[in-house]
Amino acid sequence: MFNPTLYHKANSLQRRDATDVLDKYLHLVEWRKDGKDVVLDVGCGEGDVTINILLKRLPIDFHSLTGGDLSVEMVDYAKNIYATDKIDFVLMDIVAEPKPEHINKYDHIFSFNCLNWAQDQASALRSMYNMLNETGDCVITLVAKHRIFDIWKLMSEDPRWEQYMRNTDKYISPYNNSLNPAVEFRKLLLGAGFKNVKVQVKHKTHDYIGMKNYRDSAAAVNPFFKDIPKHLHEEYLDHFMYITGELGYLEEDNNGREKELIKTNYSSLLAYASKR
Ligand SMILES: C[S@@+](CC[C@H](N)C(=O)[O-])C[C@H]1O[C@@H](n2cnc3c(N)ncnc32)[C@H](O)[C@@H]1O
């Protein structure tokens, strides 16, 4: 996720997940009476979802929209394309203590497919709680389980890749092996102090149109890619696709269609919580 240009082209799953959670929980968000909402998108990536999905759903007179992300590349890309007088992008690690200027600041925090990258869920949720003002609320979606994590695990044991994939566990969703991600996440939200907690896990299938799109998207979210020498990128992706096929994780479907559909199965967690 250090290549914003590739991510921008290959984020169809993330766009759909963001839309799904907003369809489900946006009606619970308590907008300010004066319409001047102060909004944060945690793990905003290259800004596409922030601007093309979230922004459209904010009150027209919103006060400000901030995208926060750990990645310098993502923040720079988003800033260059989307920043305005009311919209900004800043570096932020949601697991760390929030900077003083973010504390008690936001009316609403949104986070789309970012929190699954945080191994310390309790700290991330505590930070979000502390960045909300006393009536604030949040809408979250994250990847609970995905077969891509099994593939990374297997690849990290291959002598060709192990040197680049030493810390694989750091990038696997904390809920990948959980028997009940919804119960666990609810407990964590309550533990952070949130009220009115709603959590749901949805089993989803996502269709990629054509193998190339699937391959691009696998590269775009691969945290190890930046450490793999460029001349090995294609070999690495070939191996990724080979394992995916061997494990039977892809269903190809070109039945009567011009382009084959590549189907992936995963579980998405959707949540709403507030401080009031
Ligand atoms: C899969 S992308 C999602 C981007 C965007 N929200 C979307 O839906 O397209 C995950 C993003 O979370 C960011 N991220 C990962 N860990 C983070 C952390 N601890 N604090 C803030 N951002 C983080 C990554 O840099 C990446 O841009």
Side-chain angles (χ1 to χ4, degrees), residues 1-2 7 11 14-15 18 41-50 68-71 74 92-96 111-118 221:
M1 283 174 310
F2 299 89
Y7 185 83
N11 65 349
Q14 289 85 352
R15 290 177 62 96
D41 179 8
V42 169
C44 60
E46 41 46 292
D48 177 35
V49 165
T50 318
D69 201 283
L70 190 60
S71 153
M74 291 294 199
M92 171 183 291
D93 178 357
I94 196 58
V95 177
S111 183
F112 308 109
N113 283 354
C114 162
L115 289 190
N116 47 281
W117 300 100
V221 296

PDB file of all heavy atoms in Angstrom, residues 1-2 7 11 14-15 18 41-50 68-71 74 92-96 111-118 221, ligand 1:
ATOM      1  N   MET A   1       0.815  -1.216   0.000  1.00  0.00           N
ATOM      2  CA  MET A   1       0.000   0.000   0.000  1.00  0.00           C
ATOM      3  C   MET A   1       0.846   1.263   0.000  1.00  0.00           C
ATOM      4  O   MET A   1       0.550   2.210   0.679  1.00  0.00           O
ATOM      5  CB  MET A   1      -0.902   0.012   1.214  1.00  0.00           C
ATOM      6  CG  MET A   1      -2.076  -0.876   1.068  1.00  0.00           C
ATOM      7  SD  MET A   1      -2.937  -0.917   2.600  1.00  0.00           S
ATOM      8  CE  MET A   1      -1.607  -1.265   3.722  1.00  0.00           C
ATOM      9  N   PHE A   2       1.945   1.175  -0.710  1.00  0.00           N
ATOM     10  CA  PHE A   2       2.801   2.349  -0.753  1.00  0.00           C
ATOM     11  C   PHE A   2       2.823   2.920  -2.149  1.00  0.00           C
ATOM     12  O   PHE A   2       3.551   3.833  -2.449  1.00  0.00           O
ATOM     13  CB  PHE A   2       4.207   1.994  -0.275  1.00  0.00           C
ATOM     14  CG  PHE A   2       4.184   1.498   1.130  1.00  0.00           C
ATOM     15  CD1 PHE A   2       4.011   0.167   1.422  1.00  0.00           C
ATOM     16  CD2 PHE A   2       4.273   2.404   2.179  1.00  0.00           C
ATOM     17  CE1 PHE A   2       3.945  -0.281   2.722  1.00  0.00           C
ATOM     18  CE2 PHE A   2       4.211   1.968   3.491  1.00  0.00           C
ATOM     19  CZ  PHE A   2       4.041   0.620   3.763  1.00  0.00           C
ATOM     20  N   TYR A   7      -2.866   1.577  -6.288  1.00  0.00           N
ATOM     21  CA  TYR A   7      -4.009   1.401  -5.391  1.00  0.00           C
ATOM     22  C   TYR A   7      -5.253   2.088  -5.974  1.00  0.00           C
ATOM     23  O   TYR A   7      -6.362   1.548  -5.944  1.00  0.00           O
ATOM     24  CB  TYR A   7      -3.679   1.967  -4.001  1.00  0.00           C
ATOM     25  CG  TYR A   7      -4.781   1.704  -3.008  1.00  0.00           C
ATOM     26  CD1 TYR A   7      -4.864   0.484  -2.355  1.00  0.00           C
ATOM     27  CD2 TYR A   7      -5.767   2.647  -2.770  1.00  0.00           C
ATOM     28  CE1 TYR A   7      -5.900   0.219  -1.473  1.00  0.00           C
ATOM     29  CE2 TYR A   7      -6.806   2.401  -1.902  1.00  0.00           C
ATOM     30  CZ  TYR A   7      -6.858   1.184  -1.247  1.00  0.00           C
ATOM     31  OH  TYR A   7      -7.903   0.925  -0.387  1.00  0.00           O
ATOM     32  N   ASN A  11      -8.872  -0.493  -6.538  1.00  0.00           N
ATOM     33  CA  ASN A  11      -9.506  -0.472  -5.211  1.00  0.00           C
ATOM     34  C   ASN A  11     -11.009  -0.747  -5.262  1.00  0.00           C
ATOM     35  O   ASN A  11     -11.771  -0.216  -4.449  1.00  0.00           O
ATOM     36  CB  ASN A  11      -9.232   0.875  -4.514  1.00  0.00           C
ATOM     37  CG  ASN A  11      -9.884   2.035  -5.246  1.00  0.00           C
ATOM     38  OD1 ASN A  11     -10.372   1.880  -6.371  1.00  0.00           O
ATOM     39  ND2 ASN A  11      -9.918   3.200  -4.627  1.00  0.00           N
ATOM     40  N   GLN A  14     -12.437  -2.129  -2.003  1.00  0.00           N
ATOM     41  CA  GLN A  14     -12.472  -1.142  -0.927  1.00  0.00           C
ATOM     42  C   GLN A  14     -13.588  -0.126  -1.154  1.00  0.00           C
ATOM     43  O   GLN A  14     -14.248   0.310  -0.208  1.00  0.00           O
ATOM     44  CB  GLN A  14     -11.127  -0.411  -0.826  1.00  0.00           C
ATOM     45  CG  GLN A  14      -9.991  -1.273  -0.293  1.00  0.00           C
ATOM     46  CD  GLN A  14      -9.312  -2.113  -1.370  1.00  0.00           C
ATOM     47  OE1 GLN A  14      -9.762  -2.189  -2.507  1.00  0.00           O
ATOM     48  NE2 GLN A  14      -8.207  -2.741  -1.015  1.00  0.00           N
ATOM     49  N   ARG A  15     -13.810   0.246  -2.403  1.00  0.00           N
ATOM     50  CA  ARG A  15     -14.896   1.201  -2.700  1.00  0.00           C
ATOM     51  C   ARG A  15     -16.238   0.581  -2.318  1.00  0.00           C
ATOM     52  O   ARG A  15     -17.100   1.240  -1.738  1.00  0.00           O
ATOM     53  CB  ARG A  15     -14.900   1.579  -4.185  1.00  0.00           C
ATOM     54  CG  ARG A  15     -13.717   2.452  -4.600  1.00  0.00           C
ATOM     55  CD  ARG A  15     -13.786   2.716  -6.105  1.00  0.00           C
ATOM     56  NE  ARG A  15     -14.994   3.442  -6.438  1.00  0.00           N
ATOM     57  CZ  ARG A  15     -15.102   4.752  -6.578  1.00  0.00           C
ATOM     58  NH1 ARG A  15     -14.041   5.503  -6.424  1.00  0.00           N
ATOM     59  NH2 ARG A  15     -16.241   5.314  -6.871  1.00  0.00           N
ATOM     60  N   ALA A  18     -16.689   0.417   1.557  1.00  0.00           N
ATOM     61  CA  ALA A  18     -17.003   1.724   2.150  1.00  0.00           C
ATOM     62  C   ALA A  18     -18.478   2.065   1.897  1.00  0.00           C
ATOM     63  O   ALA A  18     -19.196   2.510   2.798  1.00  0.00           O
ATOM     64  CB  ALA A  18     -16.084   2.794   1.558  1.00  0.00           C
ATOM     65  N   ASP A  41     -11.259  10.898   8.436  1.00  0.00           N
ATOM     66  CA  ASP A  41     -11.254   9.563   7.812  1.00  0.00           C
ATOM     67  C   ASP A  41      -9.905   8.919   8.149  1.00  0.00           C
ATOM     68  O   ASP A  41      -8.864   9.338   7.624  1.00  0.00           O
ATOM     69  CB  ASP A  41     -11.441   9.711   6.292  1.00  0.00           C
ATOM     70  CG  ASP A  41     -11.421   8.354   5.586  1.00  0.00           C
ATOM     71  OD1 ASP A  41     -11.414   7.315   6.267  1.00  0.00           O
ATOM     72  OD2 ASP A  41     -11.399   8.356   4.333  1.00  0.00           O
ATOM     73  N   VAL A  42      -9.933   7.927   9.025  1.00  0.00           N
ATOM     74  CA  VAL A  42      -8.684   7.285   9.489  1.00  0.00           C
ATOM     75  C   VAL A  42      -8.243   6.210   8.503  1.00  0.00           C
ATOM     76  O   VAL A  42      -9.011   5.301   8.188  1.00  0.00           O
ATOM     77  CB  VAL A  42      -8.892   6.658  10.881  1.00  0.00           C
ATOM     78  CG1 VAL A  42      -7.722   5.763  11.247  1.00  0.00           C
ATOM     79  CG2 VAL A  42      -9.089   7.724  11.924  1.00  0.00           C
ATOM     80  N   GLY A  43      -7.007   6.304   8.030  1.00  0.00           N
ATOM     81  CA  GLY A  43      -6.494   5.338   7.049  1.00  0.00           C
ATOM     82  C   GLY A  43      -7.089   5.646   5.689  1.00  0.00           C
ATOM     83  O   GLY A  43      -7.571   4.763   4.989  1.00  0.00           O
ATOM     84  N   CYS A  44      -6.991   6.919   5.324  1.00  0.00           N
ATOM     85  CA  CYS A  44      -7.686   7.413   4.113  1.00  0.00           C
ATOM     86  C   CYS A  44      -7.040   6.928   2.817  1.00  0.00           C
ATOM     87  O   CYS A  44      -7.610   7.093   1.741  1.00  0.00           O
ATOM     88  CB  CYS A  44      -7.694   8.930   4.127  1.00  0.00           C
ATOM     89  SG  CYS A  44      -6.020   9.619   4.128  1.00  0.00           S
ATOM     90  N   GLY A  45      -5.836   6.333   2.897  1.00  0.00           N
ATOM     91  CA  GLY A  45      -5.171   5.885   1.672  1.00  0.00           C
ATOM     92  C   GLY A  45      -4.927   7.052   0.726  1.00  0.00           C
ATOM     93  O   GLY A  45      -4.572   8.163   1.156  1.00  0.00           O
ATOM     94  N   GLU A  46      -5.141   6.824  -0.561  1.00  0.00           N
ATOM     95  CA  GLU A  46      -4.843   7.860  -1.559  1.00  0.00           C
ATOM     96  C   GLU A  46      -6.019   8.824  -1.750  1.00  0.00           C
ATOM     97  O   GLU A  46      -5.970   9.691  -2.621  1.00  0.00           O
ATOM     98  CB  GLU A  46      -4.404   7.288  -2.896  1.00  0.00           C
ATOM     99  CG  GLU A  46      -5.060   6.096  -3.481  1.00  0.00           C
ATOM    100  CD  GLU A  46      -6.570   6.039  -3.474  1.00  0.00           C
ATOM    101  OE1 GLU A  46      -7.159   5.924  -2.386  1.00  0.00           O
ATOM    102  OE2 GLU A  46      -7.174   6.047  -4.548  1.00  0.00           O
ATOM    103  N   GLY A  47      -7.060   8.685  -0.927  1.00  0.00           N
ATOM    104  CA  GLY A  47      -8.100   9.714  -0.871  1.00  0.00           C
ATOM    105  C   GLY A  47      -9.322   9.473  -1.739  1.00  0.00           C
ATOM    106  O   GLY A  47     -10.307  10.214  -1.633  1.00  0.00           O
ATOM    107  N   ASP A  48      -9.289   8.452  -2.570  1.00  0.00           N
ATOM    108  CA  ASP A  48     -10.424   8.217  -3.478  1.00  0.00           C
ATOM    109  C   ASP A  48     -11.726   7.988  -2.702  1.00  0.00           C
ATOM    110  O   ASP A  48     -12.747   8.642  -2.961  1.00  0.00           O
ATOM    111  CB  ASP A  48     -10.117   7.005  -4.372  1.00  0.00           C
ATOM    112  CG  ASP A  48     -11.266   6.647  -5.300  1.00  0.00           C
ATOM    113  OD1 ASP A  48     -11.955   7.578  -5.770  1.00  0.00           O
ATOM    114  OD2 ASP A  48     -11.490   5.453  -5.566  1.00  0.00           O
ATOM    115  N   VAL A  49     -11.694   7.086  -1.721  1.00  0.00           N
ATOM    116  CA  VAL A  49     -12.907   6.789  -0.948  1.00  0.00           C
ATOM    117  C   VAL A  49     -13.323   8.022  -0.128  1.00  0.00           C
ATOM    118  O   VAL A  49     -14.506   8.375  -0.068  1.00  0.00           O
ATOM    119  CB  VAL A  49     -12.664   5.545  -0.052  1.00  0.00           C
ATOM    120  CG1 VAL A  49     -13.719   5.414   1.026  1.00  0.00           C
ATOM    121  CG2 VAL A  49     -12.633   4.283  -0.917  1.00  0.00           C
ATOM    122  N   THR A  50     -12.345   8.709   0.445  1.00  0.00           N
ATOM    123  CA  THR A  50     -12.643   9.918   1.233  1.00  0.00           C
ATOM    124  C   THR A  50     -13.425  10.927   0.392  1.00  0.00           C
ATOM    125  O   THR A  50     -14.420  11.495   0.844  1.00  0.00           O
ATOM    126  CB  THR A  50     -11.314  10.606   1.672  1.00  0.00           C
ATOM    127  OG1 THR A  50     -10.394   9.621   2.099  1.00  0.00           O
ATOM    128  CG2 THR A  50     -11.544  11.644   2.737  1.00  0.00           C
ATOM    129  N   GLY A  68      -6.474  10.982   7.455  1.00  0.00           N
ATOM    130  CA  GLY A  68      -5.226  10.693   8.175  1.00  0.00           C
ATOM    131  C   GLY A  68      -4.703   9.336   7.737  1.00  0.00           C
ATOM    132  O   GLY A  68      -5.483   8.397   7.580  1.00  0.00           O
ATOM    133  N   ASP A  69      -3.403   9.227   7.517  1.00  0.00           N
ATOM    134  CA  ASP A  69      -2.842   7.938   7.099  1.00  0.00           C
ATOM    135  C   ASP A  69      -1.392   7.842   7.545  1.00  0.00           C
ATOM    136  O   ASP A  69      -0.682   8.847   7.638  1.00  0.00           O
ATOM    137  CB  ASP A  69      -2.938   7.784   5.574  1.00  0.00           C
ATOM    138  CG  ASP A  69      -2.868   6.323   5.133  1.00  0.00           C
ATOM    139  OD1 ASP A  69      -1.749   5.755   5.116  1.00  0.00           O
ATOM    140  OD2 ASP A  69      -3.921   5.751   4.808  1.00  0.00           O
ATOM    141  N   LEU A  70      -0.974   6.590   7.757  1.00  0.00           N
ATOM    142  CA  LEU A  70       0.394   6.280   8.180  1.00  0.00           C
ATOM    143  C   LEU A  70       1.403   6.469   7.050  1.00  0.00           C
ATOM    144  O   LEU A  70       2.586   6.669   7.285  1.00  0.00           O
ATOM    145  CB  LEU A  70       0.380   4.802   8.592  1.00  0.00           C
ATOM    146  CG  LEU A  70       1.544   4.169   9.296  1.00  0.00           C
ATOM    147  CD1 LEU A  70       1.813   4.874  10.619  1.00  0.00           C
ATOM    148  CD2 LEU A  70       1.219   2.690   9.572  1.00  0.00           C
ATOM    149  N   SER A  71       0.940   6.362   5.815  1.00  0.00           N
ATOM    150  CA  SER A  71       1.862   6.314   4.679  1.00  0.00           C
ATOM    151  C   SER A  71       2.092   7.713   4.071  1.00  0.00           C
ATOM    152  O   SER A  71       1.154   8.378   3.643  1.00  0.00           O
ATOM    153  CB  SER A  71       1.290   5.357   3.622  1.00  0.00           C
ATOM    154  OG  SER A  71       1.737   5.705   2.341  1.00  0.00           O
ATOM    155  N   MET A  74       0.856   7.885   0.436  1.00  0.00           N
ATOM    156  CA  MET A  74      -0.593   8.025   0.311  1.00  0.00           C
ATOM    157  C   MET A  74      -1.022   9.464   0.632  1.00  0.00           C
ATOM    158  O   MET A  74      -1.813  10.076  -0.087  1.00  0.00           O
ATOM    159  CB  MET A  74      -1.333   7.058   1.248  1.00  0.00           C
ATOM    160  CG  MET A  74      -1.198   5.603   0.864  1.00  0.00           C
ATOM    161  SD  MET A  74      -1.997   5.242  -0.715  1.00  0.00           S
ATOM    162  CE  MET A  74      -2.172   3.462  -0.629  1.00  0.00           C
ATOM    163  N   MET A  92      -0.724  10.226  10.169  1.00  0.00           N
ATOM    164  CA  MET A  92      -1.306   9.840  11.450  1.00  0.00           C
ATOM    165  C   MET A  92      -1.130   8.339  11.638  1.00  0.00           C
ATOM    166  O   MET A  92      -1.381   7.570  10.713  1.00  0.00           O
ATOM    167  CB  MET A  92      -2.795  10.194  11.402  1.00  0.00           C
ATOM    168  CG  MET A  92      -3.621   9.688  12.534  1.00  0.00           C
ATOM    169  SD  MET A  92      -5.369  10.118  12.299  1.00  0.00           S
ATOM    170  CE  MET A  92      -5.336  11.882  12.520  1.00  0.00           C
ATOM    171  N   ASP A  93      -0.710   7.945  12.833  1.00  0.00           N
ATOM    172  CA  ASP A  93      -0.695   6.512  13.175  1.00  0.00           C
ATOM    173  C   ASP A  93      -1.783   6.304  14.209  1.00  0.00           C
ATOM    174  O   ASP A  93      -1.678   6.773  15.346  1.00  0.00           O
ATOM    175  CB  ASP A  93       0.681   6.129  13.737  1.00  0.00           C
ATOM    176  CG  ASP A  93       0.719   4.657  14.142  1.00  0.00           C
ATOM    177  OD1 ASP A  93      -0.332   3.976  14.039  1.00  0.00           O
ATOM    178  OD2 ASP A  93       1.792   4.206  14.573  1.00  0.00           O
ATOM    179  N   ILE A  94      -2.822   5.597  13.827  1.00  0.00           N
ATOM    180  CA  ILE A  94      -3.992   5.469  14.704  1.00  0.00           C
ATOM    181  C   ILE A  94      -3.691   4.644  15.948  1.00  0.00           C
ATOM    182  O   ILE A  94      -4.412   4.723  16.946  1.00  0.00           O
ATOM    183  CB  ILE A  94      -5.214   4.914  13.920  1.00  0.00           C
ATOM    184  CG1 ILE A  94      -6.508   5.139  14.709  1.00  0.00           C
ATOM    185  CG2 ILE A  94      -5.029   3.449  13.535  1.00  0.00           C
ATOM    186  CD1 ILE A  94      -6.805   6.538  15.060  1.00  0.00           C
ATOM    187  N   VAL A  95      -2.605   3.879  15.923  1.00  0.00           N
ATOM    188  CA  VAL A  95      -2.270   3.071  17.097  1.00  0.00           C
ATOM    189  C   VAL A  95      -1.536   3.914  18.159  1.00  0.00           C
ATOM    190  O   VAL A  95      -1.533   3.592  19.341  1.00  0.00           O
ATOM    191  CB  VAL A  95      -1.405   1.852  16.685  1.00  0.00           C
ATOM    192  CG1 VAL A  95      -0.986   1.040  17.881  1.00  0.00           C
ATOM    193  CG2 VAL A  95      -2.186   0.973  15.714  1.00  0.00           C
ATOM    194  N   ALA A  96      -0.940   5.014  17.718  1.00  0.00           N
ATOM    195  CA  ALA A  96      -0.163   5.851  18.645  1.00  0.00           C
ATOM    196  C   ALA A  96      -1.098   6.813  19.393  1.00  0.00           C
ATOM    197  O   ALA A  96      -2.253   6.997  19.014  1.00  0.00           O
ATOM    198  CB  ALA A  96       0.878   6.638  17.859  1.00  0.00           C
ATOM    199  N   SER A 111     -13.690   5.110   9.220  1.00  0.00           N
ATOM    200  CA  SER A 111     -12.461   4.372   8.897  1.00  0.00           C
ATOM    201  C   SER A 111     -12.819   3.162   8.038  1.00  0.00           C
ATOM    202  O   SER A 111     -13.601   2.303   8.450  1.00  0.00           O
ATOM    203  CB  SER A 111     -11.749   3.927  10.176  1.00  0.00           C
ATOM    204  OG  SER A 111     -10.532   3.286   9.816  1.00  0.00           O
ATOM    205  N   PHE A 112     -12.254   3.143   6.837  1.00  0.00           N
ATOM    206  CA  PHE A 112     -12.606   2.108   5.859  1.00  0.00           C
ATOM    207  C   PHE A 112     -11.395   1.225   5.565  1.00  0.00           C
ATOM    208  O   PHE A 112     -10.401   1.688   4.992  1.00  0.00           O
ATOM    209  CB  PHE A 112     -13.074   2.758   4.544  1.00  0.00           C
ATOM    210  CG  PHE A 112     -14.160   3.794   4.740  1.00  0.00           C
ATOM    211  CD1 PHE A 112     -13.888   5.149   4.567  1.00  0.00           C
ATOM    212  CD2 PHE A 112     -15.451   3.413   5.096  1.00  0.00           C
ATOM    213  CE1 PHE A 112     -14.878   6.105   4.742  1.00  0.00           C
ATOM    214  CE2 PHE A 112     -16.446   4.357   5.271  1.00  0.00           C
ATOM    215  CZ  PHE A 112     -16.152   5.708   5.096  1.00  0.00           C
ATOM    216  N   ASN A 113     -11.492  -0.035   5.966  1.00  0.00           N
ATOM    217  CA  ASN A 113     -10.470  -1.049   5.668  1.00  0.00           C
ATOM    218  C   ASN A 113      -9.059  -0.622   6.070  1.00  0.00           C
ATOM    219  O   ASN A 113      -8.084  -0.918   5.371  1.00  0.00           O
ATOM    220  CB  ASN A 113     -10.521  -1.449   4.188  1.00  0.00           C
ATOM    221  CG  ASN A 113     -11.700  -2.385   3.933  1.00  0.00           C
ATOM    222  OD1 ASN A 113     -12.375  -2.802   4.874  1.00  0.00           O
ATOM    223  ND2 ASN A 113     -11.944  -2.718   2.680  1.00  0.00           N
ATOM    224  N   CYS A 114      -8.974   0.055   7.205  1.00  0.00           N
ATOM    225  CA  CYS A 114      -7.662   0.430   7.752  1.00  0.00           C
ATOM    226  C   CYS A 114      -7.382  -0.331   9.038  1.00  0.00           C
ATOM    227  O   CYS A 114      -6.266  -0.827   9.240  1.00  0.00           O
ATOM    228  CB  CYS A 114      -7.627   1.930   8.030  1.00  0.00           C
ATOM    229  SG  CYS A 114      -6.299   2.428   9.143  1.00  0.00           S
ATOM    230  N   LEU A 115      -8.381  -0.455   9.904  1.00  0.00           N
ATOM    231  CA  LEU A 115      -8.091  -0.967  11.250  1.00  0.00           C
ATOM    232  C   LEU A 115      -7.612  -2.416  11.265  1.00  0.00           C
ATOM    233  O   LEU A 115      -6.982  -2.844  12.230  1.00  0.00           O
ATOM    234  CB  LEU A 115      -9.306  -0.797  12.168  1.00  0.00           C
ATOM    235  CG  LEU A 115      -9.648   0.631  12.587  1.00  0.00           C
ATOM    236  CD1 LEU A 115     -10.701   0.630  13.685  1.00  0.00           C
ATOM    237  CD2 LEU A 115      -8.431   1.405  13.050  1.00  0.00           C
ATOM    238  N   ASN A 116      -7.876  -3.174  10.191  1.00  0.00           N
ATOM    239  CA  ASN A 116      -7.360  -4.551  10.162  1.00  0.00           C
ATOM    240  C   ASN A 116      -5.831  -4.571  10.080  1.00  0.00           C
ATOM    241  O   ASN A 116      -5.201  -5.593  10.312  1.00  0.00           O
ATOM    242  CB  ASN A 116      -7.978  -5.367   9.012  1.00  0.00           C
ATOM    243  CG  ASN A 116      -7.969  -4.650   7.699  1.00  0.00           C
ATOM    244  OD1 ASN A 116      -8.820  -3.785   7.465  1.00  0.00           O
ATOM    245  ND2 ASN A 116      -7.018  -4.962   6.841  1.00  0.00           N
ATOM    246  N   TRP A 117      -5.212  -3.436   9.779  1.00  0.00           N
ATOM    247  CA  TRP A 117      -3.743  -3.358   9.746  1.00  0.00           C
ATOM    248  C   TRP A 117      -3.172  -3.058  11.130  1.00  0.00           C
ATOM    249  O   TRP A 117      -1.957  -3.035  11.299  1.00  0.00           O
ATOM    250  CB  TRP A 117      -3.281  -2.268   8.777  1.00  0.00           C
ATOM    251  CG  TRP A 117      -3.732  -2.505   7.367  1.00  0.00           C
ATOM    252  CD1 TRP A 117      -4.793  -1.917   6.751  1.00  0.00           C
ATOM    253  CD2 TRP A 117      -3.167  -3.414   6.406  1.00  0.00           C
ATOM    254  NE1 TRP A 117      -4.924  -2.401   5.470  1.00  0.00           N
ATOM    255  CE2 TRP A 117      -3.929  -3.329   5.240  1.00  0.00           C
ATOM    256  CE3 TRP A 117      -2.079  -4.291   6.441  1.00  0.00           C
ATOM    257  CZ2 TRP A 117      -3.665  -4.074   4.105  1.00  0.00           C
ATOM    258  CZ3 TRP A 117      -1.797  -5.038   5.307  1.00  0.00           C
ATOM    259  CH2 TRP A 117      -2.592  -4.917   4.159  1.00  0.00           C
ATOM    260  N   ALA A 118      -4.045  -2.757  12.091  1.00  0.00           N
ATOM    261  CA  ALA A 118      -3.560  -2.392  13.431  1.00  0.00           C
ATOM    262  C   ALA A 118      -3.625  -3.614  14.334  1.00  0.00           C
ATOM    263  O   ALA A 118      -4.716  -4.081  14.672  1.00  0.00           O
ATOM    264  CB  ALA A 118      -4.430  -1.268  13.996  1.00  0.00           C
ATOM    265  N   VAL A 221      -2.388  -3.996  -2.387  1.00  0.00           N
ATOM    266  CA  VAL A 221      -2.556  -4.062  -0.923  1.00  0.00           C
ATOM    267  C   VAL A 221      -1.445  -4.880  -0.260  1.00  0.00           C
ATOM    268  O   VAL A 221      -1.514  -5.150   0.927  1.00  0.00           O
ATOM    269  CB  VAL A 221      -3.931  -4.650  -0.511  1.00  0.00           C
ATOM    270  CG1 VAL A 221      -5.072  -3.766  -0.970  1.00  0.00           C
ATOM    271  CG2 VAL A 221      -4.101  -6.084  -1.018  1.00  0.00           C
TER     272      VAL A 221
HETATM  273  C1  LIG B   1      -6.505  -0.784   2.289  1.00  0.00           C
HETATM  274  S1  LIG B   1      -6.039   0.884   2.514  1.00  0.00           S
HETATM  275  C2  LIG B   1      -7.652   1.667   2.673  1.00  0.00           C
HETATM  276  C3  LIG B   1      -7.613   3.088   2.160  1.00  0.00           C
HETATM  277  C4  LIG B   1      -8.974   3.775   2.082  1.00  0.00           C
HETATM  278  N1  LIG B   1      -9.558   3.944   3.404  1.00  0.00           N
HETATM  279  C5  LIG B   1      -9.913   3.001   1.190  1.00  0.00           C
HETATM  280  O1  LIG B   1     -10.946   2.539   1.702  1.00  0.00           O
HETATM  281  O2  LIG B   1      -9.594   2.868   0.013  1.00  0.00           O
HETATM  282  C6  LIG B   1      -5.482   0.929   4.195  1.00  0.00           C
HETATM  283  C7  LIG B   1      -4.791   2.232   4.566  1.00  0.00           C
HETATM  284  O3  LIG B   1      -4.595   2.239   5.978  1.00  0.00           O
HETATM  285  C8  LIG B   1      -3.343   2.851   6.237  1.00  0.00           C
HETATM  286  N2  LIG B   1      -2.888   2.432   7.569  1.00  0.00           N
HETATM  287  C9  LIG B   1      -2.403   1.224   7.941  1.00  0.00           C
HETATM  288  N3  LIG B   1      -2.095   1.234   9.250  1.00  0.00           N
HETATM  289  C10 LIG B   1      -2.395   2.475   9.716  1.00  0.00           C
HETATM  290  C11 LIG B   1      -2.278   3.107  10.990  1.00  0.00           C
HETATM  291  N4  LIG B   1      -1.765   2.461  12.044  1.00  0.00           N
HETATM  292  N5  LIG B   1      -2.671   4.404  11.106  1.00  0.00           N
HETATM  293  C12 LIG B   1      -3.162   5.060  10.022  1.00  0.00           C
HETATM  294  N6  LIG B   1      -3.280   4.521   8.797  1.00  0.00           N
HETATM  295  C13 LIG B   1      -2.909   3.248   8.638  1.00  0.00           C
HETATM  296  C14 LIG B   1      -2.457   2.362   5.105  1.00  0.00           C
HETATM  297  O4  LIG B   1      -1.331   3.201   4.936  1.00  0.00           O
HETATM  298  C15 LIG B   1      -3.422   2.408   3.925  1.00  0.00           C
HETATM  299  O5  LIG B   1      -3.354   3.616   3.226  1.00  0.00           O
END
